[in-house]
């Protein structure tokens, strides 16, 4: 089991949600986050001081899936979230040790 964490542009949320639900994803978590990447939050290359760092509003989407679904989820995320401009975001994949559905006590793949 893996957690796919994607930092995306907020206006891309609907496209990403529709793409993932159509691909059979049954659960996801969305949070409002702020962050910066390698341009340090500068939206124009030479704007402001070269030392200023700005946090930009982004959304974080978390999806936990079975290992065989990871590549498909990444492809769908890229297709839905990409504009081709700097700041499109990033995808992080990490292992998940255990999942428990609180209502039933089911665990792991059954609990996804
Ligand atoms: N190394 C990182 N660790 C944690 N979060 C990151 C990292 N890089 C980017 N992020 C998050 O992703 C958001 C978008 O990053 P961004 O797309 O600007 O990455 P980038 O590496 O600068 O790529 P690009 O050159 O396409 O802009 C950031 O605002 C931040 O929230
Ligand atoms: Mg960037």
């Amino acid at each position: 089991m893996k957690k796919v964490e994607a930092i995306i542009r907020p206006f891309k949320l609907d496209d990403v949600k529709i793409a993932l639900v159509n691909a059979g994803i049954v659960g996801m978590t969305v949070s409002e986050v702020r962050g910066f990447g390698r341009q340090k939050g500068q939206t124009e290359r030479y704007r402001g001081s070269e030392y200023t760092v700005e946090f930009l509003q982004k959304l974080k989407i978390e999806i936990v899936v079975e290992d065989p679904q990871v590549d498909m989820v990444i492809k769908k995320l890229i297709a839905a979230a990409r504009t081709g401009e700097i700041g499109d975001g990033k995808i992080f994949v990490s292992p998940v040790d255990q999942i428990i559905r609180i209502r039933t006590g089911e665990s792991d793949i059954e609990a996804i």
Side-chain angles (χ1 to χ4, degrees):
M1 300 169 293
K2 296 276 195 294
K3 178 159 80 173
V4 180
E5 213 168 331
I7 311 294
I8 64 166
R9 298 181 191 274
F11 84 92
K12 284 292 195 177
L13 179 63
D14 274 356
D15 289 351
V16 166
K17 179 187 69 177
I18 289 165
L20 292 174
V21 169
N22 287 344
I25 293 308
V26 293
M28 71 179 77
T29 301
V30 180
S31 324
E32 291 181 7
V33 296
R34 299 192 313 144
F36 61 86
R38 56 188 179 170
Q39 293 83 17
K40 300 187 174 67
Q42 301 302 309
T43 48
E44 291 169 34
R45 191 154 256 264
Y46 296 109
R47 199 189 66 184
S49 150
E50 73 184 277
Y51 299 108
T52 61
V53 176
E54 301 287 341
F55 288 114
L56 299 178
Q57 297 283 346
K58 301 284 176 180
L59 292 180
K60 180 171 75 174
I61 298 180
E62 292 166 89
I63 312 141
V64 174
V65 294
E66 293 181 50
D67 290 17
Q69 290 188 292
V70 169
D71 289 347
M72 178 275 291
V73 167
I74 291 170
K75 284 199 187 92
K76 296 283 179 188
L77 277 168
I78 293 171
R82 186 172 183 278
T83 69
E85 302 295 321
I86 58 169
D88 270 353
K90 219 161 263 191
I91 300 170
F92 306 103
V93 180
S94 49
V96 170
D97 291 339
Q98 226 181 335
I99 308 171
I100 296 112
R101 176 172 287 114
I102 291 175
R103 177 174 61 84
T104 59
E106 291 165 290
S107 61
D108 299 343
I109 286 168
E110 260 114 64
I112 291 178

